[in-house]
Structures are given as structure tokens and as C-alpha cells.
């Protein structure tokens, strides 16, 4: 007997018009398929590269390495306050323009102009070429024709997106669609206390998307994270999500909440009781006022979290306890990717709040390390090729959706699939 | 060497040299390099004093903690780190994480 009602079709999978047959992971083990994803998805979709708080003032900049589309971009707040993105390449001889110690490493900082390390060509923050060393030696170079090459850059809710297509097929807002844009008024801008994590994972990028798109694994893989009493009850209960939703290429799972502070202390870790924090976040939540209708759209009560997966490789996970996480999965080959996780809280006003946040951030990492470990093992065995069909249950509906959307884009290289 | 901790926490001074660490990266590394006896002793000595330590630190604004208050806060951060090994896994490493790595590359200070 299902704990939560299923849609009229009898399952979420059928409700979204998805196939219920076992799936193939051929899309995650093939260098050729990965090349098609690079062209058909990553060169066409809007990609989130950061937040406006990373560019606090005029002249603030950061670089982002986008191996998946074979470029590096520099994102900068100009003297007019506008945020722009450029291919990070000098127009003179192609040197990488902005980098610090090592050219392949991302950097950030503040400047009045960009100066190439090679021959000191200079560019304004709006990309215009302002100075050529020994200009008289050149042959009628029109500086207006040799500014930095712009990358399409749009901002939604403080999230900075770029699109490397010559002309994006959709505006960012159209691409995000109503389910995502309904989050617009969430107070992301108040949550400026950031814990950033990064690692390289030896697995296809979609496998880690999959890992965080279902919670069926949680009572099993993470059972040793909790006292036995809690783990045993969790495993017995299994996992069901109260709400799933898809909108275009994007998808959502919401989970129900757990009121840890009302639980028997023997079901909790002693440090959770002492710090009043844990996996679900600080127990004492900040006053955020009324949240936009896009948050918890399934009206789950108690509500735990919303995990919004934005196509192709970006997740915004909003916790009922008043904080949020982002995940980015940046492919570097068919079987490797860079994972970035960021944990955002409202700034702690005292040590007590800071400790609850620390407990939450540390616990996040303990869980994520278990999640990351299974991926390399999965990738290895998928690549063995001996098994080709894998059954997915209804709690894994969002995995089917991701792989289907990927296939739709790859198979329709012209025009965004309806 | 002058003590790292204020007189109120003089009894924890033996742990301060090991565990007053400013970043998560250092704390995680120290956890991985420590044995369970060391971490168990630190946990047993400090966790009953945690509430007292929080109250002590909270007499000062978070963004202007004097050095001798920053050290108790670092010790609290280490206690959180060590608790994962002591309360949860009973070993320094995360169970079922094999050689997975996740680096904290940015964090609020303190």
C-alpha cells in the first residue's frame, strides 16, 4: 500500500508518459554519445556558472572552465554594473586572457581592465579592446573589430547563466519554464554564507545526477549514518516521495519532513542534539517570510525539501529548514566529471548558529562521499557491457526523465524538442 | 609556549595543539590521520563542555572574535568533525565511501 497517493494513471512514471520497461545505460559508457551530448546539449542549453554575489562590485570577475564546450569564460561586472561573459581568449594571438598561477585553474578577483600576460593588450570590462602595445607596428587594426568575444549571458534570481550557441534558441526565461521561474522570489540573495565543495568523479555526469534524483537508496546506502534505532525504522519503512513534477526538460522531487527535535533522543546522534543541526539543516530556521508558490508546489506537510533538477547539469535543492544547496556536474569526458556542491545559509549571527551550520555542512559531506563512491563502481560495471537492461522503479522516475530528455536533445540536433 | 585556550578551558589544553585548526580541510585530514583512542578521548573530554564553550564564544560578536576565543571555536568545529568518526562510523573513515574525495574549497570564516 502506497504511503502517498499516486496519480490517476497508477504511477508517476506513467503519469509523465514515460516507458516502464528496463532501461539501457549505453548513453553513459560511450565516447561517441558523449560527443553528441556536447554538441546537441551543452552547446545549446543555458548553463549556470555561478551567482551574482560572486561579483560584489564593479570590476569583480571570475573565470569558469567549461571543458564540455571546449572553452573558458570570464564573467565580469562592468563599470555600468552589468554582468557580462566573454570567451577567455586574447584577440591578438589567442593566449588565455585571465588566469593566475596555472592556466587550467579557475580564478577570481577584481580589476579595472584585463591585460594579457603575453603582449599587454588591454580590454575594458565591457570587452572593448582599449590598448595595443606598439600599435604603430600593426597593419591598420581596427580596435572596434577586436574586442573580446561575448558569450550570451542572462541572469535569473541571481543565478548567472551562459549559452555558447551563436544564437540561443530560447531566452533563459523560456528555457527555464514556469516550474523553475516560480521560484524567482525565493530569498537566495539572503543566503550568502557559502560552503563550497568540489571533486572529480570517475563516472558519467548523468550517473551522479541520477544518484541525487532518487531517495530510494537513502535508507540503505546511508544506513550507517544514523543510530541503529533510526536506521532500522527507516529501512523497514523504505522510501516514497510525496511529490514528483516535470516541466519540459526540468524535473522536481519533494520529500516529506522529519521533525528531529520531536524525536526520541536515542534515535539521534548526540552531536545533533548538542548542535541542533544535521543532514536536514539547522533545527532553528531563519525567518524567511512567505515563500513563493513555486516552493513545495505539491504542498507536502510536513515538507522536507524540493530537489529541482535544471537541465542539463544543475540542481537547486531547497530545504524546508530555510537553506539551499546547489549541485553542478561538469562533464570532462564520457566517464569523468567535476562535481561542485555549494551549501548556502543565511549568515550566522552568533557561534551557536555557526555551529548548527557547520554540523549540517559536515554531515552533507559524509553522505555525499558515500554517494560518490558508488558511482565509480557503477561506471566500471556498466562499461563491462555484460548487462544491458536495468529495471527502474517508480521512485526512480526522474532518472528515466533525465535520460529521455538527453536522448530527445541528442536525436533532434536542430531546434529544441517540444 | 603560551596556552591556546582561555583559562576557563585549561583542562582541554592538551587537545588544543592537535585540534585548533582553522579550516575543514585541516580538520578532515587530522581526523583521517588520528586513531580512535585519540579521538575518543578528545570527544569524551570536550562534548560535555560544548554548551559551555558555545556560551563562552557567544559573549563576543561572531565577526570580531579575539584570538583566544577563535581557538575554542576551532575546537568546537573539530569536535563536530570528530563526532562523525566517534558516534557514527567507529573508525576515522566514512564507511562505504572507499577512496571518494570531496574537498571543501570555500567556507565562511571563522
Amino acid at each position: 500500500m502506497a504511503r502517498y497517493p499516486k496519480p490517476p494513471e497508477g504511477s508517476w512514471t506513467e503519469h509523465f508518459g514515460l516507458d516502464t520497461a528496463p532501461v539501457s545505460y549505453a548513453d553513459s559508457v560511450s565516447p561517441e554519445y558523449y560527443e553528441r551530448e556536447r554538441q546537441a546539449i551543452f552547446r545549446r542549453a543555458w548553463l549556470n556558472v555561478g551567482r551574482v554575489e560572486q561579483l560584489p562590485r564593479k570590476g569583480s570577475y571570475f573565470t569558469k572552465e567549461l571543458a564540455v564546450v571546449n572553452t573558458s569564460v570570464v564573467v565580469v561586472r562592468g563599470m555600468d554594473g552589468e554582468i557580462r561573459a566573454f570567451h577567455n581568449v586574447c584577440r591578438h594571438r589567442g593566449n588565455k586572457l585571465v588566469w593566475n598561477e596555472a592556466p587550467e585553474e579557475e580564478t577570481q578577483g577584481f580589476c579595472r581592465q584585463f591585460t594579457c600576460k603575453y603582449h599587454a593588450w588591454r580590454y575594458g570590462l565591457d570587452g572593448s579592446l582599449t590598448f595595443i602595445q606598439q600599435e604603430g607596428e600593426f597593419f591598420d587594426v581596427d580596435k572596434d573589430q577586436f574586442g573580446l568575444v561575448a558569450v550570451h549571458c542572462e541572469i535569473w534570481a541571481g543565478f548567472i547563466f551562459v549559452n555558447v550557441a551563436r544564437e540561443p534558441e530560447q531566452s533563459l526565461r523560456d528555457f527555464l519554464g514556469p516550474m523553475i521561474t516560480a521560484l524567482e522570489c525565493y530569498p537566495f540573495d539572503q543566503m550568502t554564507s557559502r560552503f563550497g565543495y568540489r571533486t572529480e568523479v570517475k563516472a558519467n555526469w548523468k550517473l551522479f545526477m541520477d544518484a541525487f534524483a532518487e531517495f530510494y537508496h537513502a535508507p540503505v546506502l546511508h544506513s550507517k549514518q544514523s543510530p541503529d534505532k533510526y536506521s532500522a525504522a527507516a529501512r523497514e519503512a523504505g522510501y516514497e516521495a510525496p511529490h514528483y513534477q516535470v516541466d519540459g526538460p526540468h524535473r522536481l522531487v519533494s520529500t516529506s519532513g522529519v521533525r528531529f527535535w520531536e524525536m526520541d533522543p536515542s534515535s539521534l546522534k548526540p552531536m545533533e542534539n548538542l548542535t541542533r543541526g544535521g543532514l536536514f539543516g539547522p533545527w532553528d530556521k531563519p525567518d524567511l517570510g512567505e515563500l513563493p508558490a513555486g516552493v513545495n508546489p505539491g504542498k507536502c506537510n510536513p515538507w522536507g525539501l524540493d530537489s529541482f533538477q535544471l537541465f542539463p547539469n544543475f540542481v537547486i535543492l531547497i530545504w524546508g529548514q530555510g537553506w539551499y544547496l546547489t549541485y553542478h556536474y561538469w562533464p570532462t569526458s564520457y566517464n569523468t566529471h567535476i562535481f561542485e556542491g555549494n551549501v548556502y545559509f543565511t549568515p550566522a549571527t552568533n557561534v551557536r548558529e555557526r555551529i548548527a551550520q557547520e554540523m549540517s555542512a559536515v554531515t552533507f559531506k559524509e553522505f555525499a562521499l558515500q554517494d560518490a563512491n558508488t558511482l565509480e563502481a557503477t561506471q566500471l560495471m556498466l562499461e563491462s557491457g555484460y548487462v544491458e537492461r536495468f529495471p527502474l522503479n517508480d521512485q526512480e522516475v526522474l532518472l528515466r526523465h533525465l535520460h529521455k530528455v538527453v536522448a530527445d536533445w541528442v536525436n533532434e540536433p536542430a531546434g529544441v524538442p517540444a | 609556549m603560551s596556552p591556546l585556550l582561555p583559562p576557563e578551558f585549561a583542562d582541554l589544553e592538551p587537545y588544543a595543539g592537535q585540534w585548533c585548526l582553522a579550516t575543514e580541510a585541516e580538520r578532515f585530514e587530522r581526523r583521517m590521520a588520528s586513531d580512535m583512542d585519540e579521538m575518543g578521548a578528545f570527544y569524551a573530554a570536550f562534548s560535555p563542555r560544548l554548551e559551555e564553550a558555545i556560551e563562552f564564544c557567544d559573549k563576543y560578536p561572531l565577526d570580531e572574535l579575539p584570538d583566544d576565543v577563535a581557538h575554542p571555536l576551532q575546537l568546537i568545529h573539530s569536535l563536530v568533525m570528530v563526532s562523525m568518526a566517534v558516534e557514527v562510523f567507529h573508525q576515522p573513515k566514512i564507511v562505504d565511501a572507499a577512496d571518494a574525495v570531496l574537498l571543501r574549497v570555500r567556507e565562511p570564516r571563522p
Side-chain angles (χ1 to χ4, degrees):
Chain A
M1 179 68 192
R3 206 173 318 154
Y4 300 107
K6 297 270 190 181
E9 295 83 354
S11 71
W12 292 100
T13 308
E14 292 157 295
H15 179 64
F16 298 132
L18 297 166
D19 195 12
T20 55
V23 302
S24 158
Y25 277 98
D27 65 0
S28 301
V29 296
S30 155
E32 295 74 27
Y33 197 88
Y34 172 60
E35 287 306 316
R36 295 173 68 191
E37 288 178 342
R38 296 177 75 179
Q39 297 300 325
I41 296 172
F42 289 91
R43 285 182 182 271
R44 287 162 67 204
W46 287 95
L47 307 174
N48 176 254
V49 293
R51 279 200 54 82
V52 294
E53 290 82 12
Q54 291 168 252
L55 302 173
R57 55 190 178 131
K58 293 169 184 172
S60 297
Y61 68 85
F62 64 82
T63 64
K64 188 77 198 161
E65 299 305 301
L66 299 174
V68 65
V69 289
N70 210 19
T71 194
S72 163
V73 294
V74 54
V75 185
V76 58
R77 190 185 288 276
M79 299 314 288
D80 56 1
E82 289 294 306
I83 291 173
R84 298 179 180 84
F86 303 99
H87 287 284
N88 190 5
V89 54
C90 179
R91 292 299 303 274
H92 170 221
R93 291 260 296 281
N95 187 31
K96 190 170 196 172
L97 181 63
V98 183
W99 51 283
N100 199 6
E101 295 291 314
E104 69 278 10
E105 282 177 15
E106 292 173 353
T107 185
Q108 59 183 21
F110 168 81
C111 67
R112 296 270 174 207
Q113 60 192 353
F114 297 117
T115 305
C116 184
K117 295 175 192 285
Y118 202 176
H119 305 95
W121 281 37
R122 295 205 294 260
Y123 302 88
L125 302 179
D126 61 356
S128 56
L129 175 60
T130 55
F131 174 79
I132 295 176
Q133 175 82 0
Q134 291 172 261
E135 187 171 357
E137 292 285 338
F138 282 86
F139 303 94
D140 302 322
V141 174
D142 176 0
K143 290 214 276 296
D144 289 344
Q145 299 299 310
F146 289 89
L148 297 178
V149 176
V151 177
H152 295 280
C153 179
E154 291 184 21
I155 293 163
W156 167 79
F159 292 100
I160 304 167
F161 290 77
V162 299
N163 190 314
V164 299
R166 201 168 293 273
E167 271 314 316
E169 294 155 41
Q170 292 173 294
S171 69
L172 174 62
R173 272 199 98 76
D174 288 347
F175 173 76
L176 293 175
M179 180 175 80
I180 302 301
T181 54
L183 299 173
E184 186 148 23
C185 297
Y186 187 80
F188 296 111
D189 59 340
Q190 293 179 32
M191 298 180 189
T192 53
S193 184
R194 172 179 165 207
F195 296 70
Y197 296 86
R198 179 185 172 90
T199 192
E200 180 167 20
V201 179
K202 296 189 190 74
N204 184 271
W205 64 282
K206 297 186 294 299
L207 297 185
F208 213 172
M209 295 281 290
D210 286 354
F212 283 126
E214 55 89 1
F215 295 99
Y216 171 55
H217 74 273
V220 182
L221 176 63
H222 302 311
S223 66
K224 294 197 177 68
Q225 296 271 6
S226 310
D228 291 345
K229 189 172 171 184
Y230 182 84
S231 296
R235 197 189 278 243
E236 177 67 27
Y239 181 79
E240 282 176 46
H243 184 69
Y244 292 98
Q245 198 167 323
V246 303
D247 180 21
H250 316 295
R251 63 204 78 87
L252 161 70
V253 53
S254 300
T255 77
S256 52
V258 180
R259 294 187 171 100
F260 290 99
W261 46 95
E262 292 175 3
M263 282 169 47
D264 170 6
S266 67
S267 291
L268 293 164
K269 292 183 274 187
M271 196 56 60
E272 290 176 319
N273 278 312
L274 289 170
T275 60
R276 299 183 61 76
L279 182 66
F280 282 46
W283 291 358
D284 302 301
K285 63 180 184 183
D287 179 13
L288 300 175
E290 194 178 340
L291 297 181
V295 175
N296 186 17
K299 308 233 180 319
C300 308
N301 185 22
W303 167 60
L305 63 84
D306 290 341
S307 178
F308 289 93
Q309 291 204 337
L310 283 69
F311 191 73
N313 68 330
F314 176 39
V315 172
I316 302 174
L317 195 154
I318 297 175
W319 288 87
Q321 285 303 112
W323 58 295
Y324 79 101
L325 287 163
T326 59
Y327 302 141
H328 294 85
Y329 310 82
W330 295 108
T332 47
S333 77
Y334 79 98
N335 62 3
T336 55
H337 70 275
I338 302 283
F339 170 77
E340 295 171 341
N342 283 286
V343 178
Y344 294 90
F345 300 104
T346 54
T349 60
N350 56 38
V351 164
R352 191 175 297 282
E353 291 175 9
R354 176 68 181 81
I355 298 303
Q357 294 180 357
E358 183 72 17
M359 181 68 185
S360 305
V362 167
T363 308
F364 158 75
K365 173 168 166 172
E366 305 284 304
F367 278 71
L369 282 168
Q370 292 182 330
D371 291 314
N373 168 50
T374 64
L375 300 173
E376 303 190 7
T378 304
Q379 183 73 34
L380 274 173
M381 294 320 294
L382 289 177
E383 285 188 23
S384 76
Y386 289 101
V387 179
E388 293 173 345
R389 280 159 41 86
F390 300 91
L392 297 181
N393 72 42
D394 202 33
Q395 301 299 328
E396 296 170 306
V397 56
L398 299 189
L399 284 62
R400 290 186 192 270
H401 182 258
L402 168 64
H403 290 261
K404 178 178 185 297
V405 172
V406 165
D408 288 347
W409 280 56
V410 165
N411 294 327
E412 273 191 68
V416 174
Chain B
M1 205 176 87
S2 59
L4 293 168
L5 298 174
E8 292 88 333
F9 299 98
D11 55 316
L12 298 170
E13 192 63 31
Y15 305 102
Q18 284 276 314
W19 294 105
C20 286
L21 300 169
T23 66
E24 187 269 356
E26 295 167 280
R27 297 189 290 269
F28 192 82
E29 194 180 334
R30 182 62 50 82
R31 164 183 161 188
M32 291 302 143
S34 299
D35 65 39
M36 291 308 294
D37 289 345
E38 289 173 78
M39 288 194 283
F42 170 49
Y43 178 87
F46 191 27
S47 60
R49 307 281 306 279
L50 175 59
E51 184 59 30
E52 194 186 333
I54 293 174
E55 281 174 18
F56 175 83
C57 295
D58 265 340
K59 284 186 276 190
Y60 303 86
L62 183 58
D63 51 3
E64 293 168 31
L65 293 185
D67 272 356
D68 61 344
V69 183
H71 288 143
L73 177 55
Q74 291 172 1
L75 208 61
I76 298 173
H77 286 334
S78 283
L79 182 65
V80 168
M81 176 60 72
V82 162
S83 78
M84 300 293 149
V86 173
E87 296 179 353
V88 183
F89 297 119
H90 312 296
Q91 62 178 43
K93 284 189 70 172
I94 291 105
V95 171
D96 292 331
D99 56 355
V101 172
L102 187 62
L103 301 177
R104 190 191 278 187
V105 293
R106 187 194 164 92
E107 61 194 341
R109 298 288 183 92

